[in-house]
Amino acid sequence: MSERETILRIAAKGDGVTPSGRHVKGAVPGDTVNAEGIIERGPHHVDPPCPHFEQCGGCQLQQADEQALGDFVTSRVVNAAQGQALSPGTVLPVHLSPPASRRRATLHAMRTAKRAVVGFREGGSHRIVDLAECPVLLPELEGLIEPLRALIAAHGGKGAIDVQLAASDQGLDVALSHFPLEGLAATEGVLEFAQTHGLARLSIDQGYGAETMWEPEPVTVTLSGVPTGLPVGGFLQATRDAEARMIADAKDWLGEARPVADLFAGLGTFAFALAEGRKVLAAEADRGAYLACTSAAQQSGRGVHALHRDLFRNPLQPEELDRFDAVVLDPPRAGAKAQIEAIAASKVERVVYVSCNPSSWARDAARLTAAGFRLGQVRPIGQFRWSTHVELTSVFTR
């Protein structure tokens, strides 16, 4: 190894990589590093915007500028495809969510002898980083950190507490887990907290499931103009801008296809957007999401039919899929192996696959191409800014 090496790329876990294969934490392409591991900054190395960076496990790449960050997200998708011998027709420009755009997050908290700590965990540790600020969160979510710290210091019990935050149509939705309410003072304290900070909803799980303590009016999230009930802990795309980008890609790629099956549909993020001028089947396993989608479809009059079905255990079969011109799917990180097998055996000619895991997507994509599909356009998406979590949209045709 020469005395100094130049960083060529960023590996999957965020380390910079040299030509000799050496991994260097905190380095980005264009940096150089000597034998002792001392980094000399290159043109793409910037000052991290957060004082908690390097300690907090929420972000790994705040030292990378916009170009290096975009190149990393793109390379993760391209490398996953190449690992399965896949060649996308076109790799579209990467979409990166901007700072201060995250509308949902799960923080961790713990009451200490004199106060409380609230934040993300350190990388590879259960230790909580006590946040003073967080540049990825929406300002209204970030602004609730200090009040939460005071609430937990006053009424938190022993052990770790999970804090789920989400921005809804009515305001902030807060769910506290492992938070036993000891006595009347604690109950009054959490209700006063909810009222003082104008929460849309406050839910408490004392060990027996979530109980809604405060909800002045039903909490909703608007999906393509359709107000949809938001269950406690319900899934939302992390940022509104990435959600809009994914929907736009799906619409472009579906063209005039109708009817369409939306699989792993959740609350109906894609279904309601696609139901303008076509009928959409929205299949989802989570009962709360299914019921919310059903109710919103009935009230809006959109052509969405919700189906409660576990697509891992009971995927739509080829003869069921044959009734649709196209399929949209957005599965969890594990991918959709069983459902992909059924799609491959069906007569469906167009598949829009949205993924939060390039590795499982590439595995599923290889099965589709083996069945005669061609991988067309792919768009890398960095919805979780400054993290190594990479997503994508893609289209397959045959």
Side-chain angles (χ1 to χ4, degrees):
M1 184 178 70
S2 62
E3 186 174 344
R4 296 200 70 85
E5 289 190 289
T6 300
I7 301 298
L8 299 181
R9 62 183 178 86
I10 299 174
K13 293 185 179 180
D15 293 342
V17 183
T18 69
S20 67
R22 183 183 179 191
H23 284 234
V24 182
K25 184 177 180 179
V28 300
D31 290 351
T32 60
V33 60
N34 65 13
E36 287 74 39
I38 304 301
I39 297 171
E40 183 175 322
R41 291 187 175 194
H44 301 295
H45 198 126
V46 297
D47 291 329
C50 179
H52 303 292
F53 181 64
E54 292 185 353
Q55 183 186 15
C56 178
C59 296
Q60 297 81 40
L61 297 171
Q62 288 190 9
Q63 78 279 16
D65 71 2
E66 203 77 0
Q67 181 178 330
L69 193 59
D71 289 347
F72 165 76
V73 174
T74 299
S75 68
R76 284 288 312 282
V77 174
V78 172
N79 291 342
Q82 292 175 345
Q84 293 285 351
L86 300 170
S87 298
T90 304
V91 178
L92 295 173
V94 63
H95 176 90
L96 296 178
S97 291
S101 62
R102 183 89 64 83
R103 65 173 171 178
R104 66 170 174 87
T106 298
L107 303 179
H108 307 284
M110 182 174 290
R111 185 180 183 182
T112 63
K114 296 182 179 180
R115 57 191 300 273
V117 294
V118 178
F120 294 107
R121 291 196 176 103
E122 291 184 13
S125 171
H126 290 292
R127 189 179 295 110
I128 299 169
V129 177
D130 198 24
L131 293 182
E133 59 186 89
C134 181
V136 302
L137 297 180
L138 286 173
E140 54 266 40
L141 294 184
E142 183 187 43
L144 202 60
I145 293 174
E146 187 57 38
L148 280 166
R149 193 170 3 250
L151 175 71
I152 291 165
H155 302 294
K158 296 180 179 179
I161 298 166
D162 291 336
V163 183
Q164 288 184 299
L165 304 175
S168 73
D169 295 337
Q170 292 74 26
L172 299 186
D173 181 21
V174 178
L176 303 176
S177 299
H178 315 296
F179 197 90
L181 297 174
E182 302 291 348
L184 180 60
T187 300
E188 291 176 339
V190 297
L191 291 174
E192 181 182 358
F193 172 83
Q195 185 172 16
T196 299
H197 298 286
L199 299 187
R201 179 170 57 198
L202 176 63
S203 303
I204 306 287
D205 186 345
Q206 303 184 63
Y208 307 99
E211 301 174 76
T212 298
M213 306 292 294
W214 174 268
E215 189 177 14
E217 58 181 293
V219 173
T220 62
V221 58
T222 296
L223 303 173
S224 298
V226 178
T228 305
L230 179 62
V232 175
F235 175 80
L236 293 174
Q237 294 294 343
T239 67
R240 294 184 181 92
D241 61 277
E243 178 180 271
R245 179 68 268 169
M246 293 172 177
I247 288 171
D249 285 346
K251 282 185 171 181
D252 287 345
W253 293 334
L254 288 176
E256 298 301 315
R258 55 177 55 85
V260 169
D262 177 14
L263 309 182
F264 308 94
L267 297 173
T269 299
F270 291 98
F272 289 121
L274 300 175
E276 298 172 358
R278 60 165 68 90
K279 292 183 178 180
V280 179
L281 173 72
E284 171 58 39
D286 181 82
R287 184 169 180 78
Y290 154 73
L291 291 174
C293 182
T294 297
S295 177
Q298 292 172 346
Q299 294 180 32
S300 68
R302 298 276 178 99
V304 173
H305 173 72
L307 174 66
H308 188 215
R309 186 154 169 175
D310 185 339
L311 298 175
F312 288 104
R313 298 180 179 181
N314 185 22
L316 261 66
Q317 296 302 303
E319 58 272 19
E320 296 175 288
L321 292 163
D322 289 346
R323 299 180 305 199
F324 300 96
D325 286 353
V327 169
V328 176
L329 68 159
D330 181 13
R333 288 186 59 79
K337 187 175 181 181
Q339 186 61 78
I340 288 292
E341 289 290 345
I343 293 172
S346 75
K347 298 177 183 177
V348 171
E349 296 184 349
R350 184 173 297 266
V351 175
V352 174
Y353 194 147
V354 180
S355 173
C356 60
N357 184 353
S359 296
S360 61
W361 165 82
R363 178 205 67 204
D364 291 346
R367 178 66 186 95
L368 290 177
T369 58
F373 282 93
R374 182 180 65 85
L375 173 56
Q377 295 179 314
V378 177
R379 186 187 304 279
I381 295 178
Q383 182 170 201
F384 292 83
R385 187 178 183 85
W386 294 315
S387 86
T388 54
H389 184 81
V390 172
E391 302 182 310
L392 63 95
T393 57
S394 61
V395 61
F396 298 81
T397 57
R398 65 179 172 184

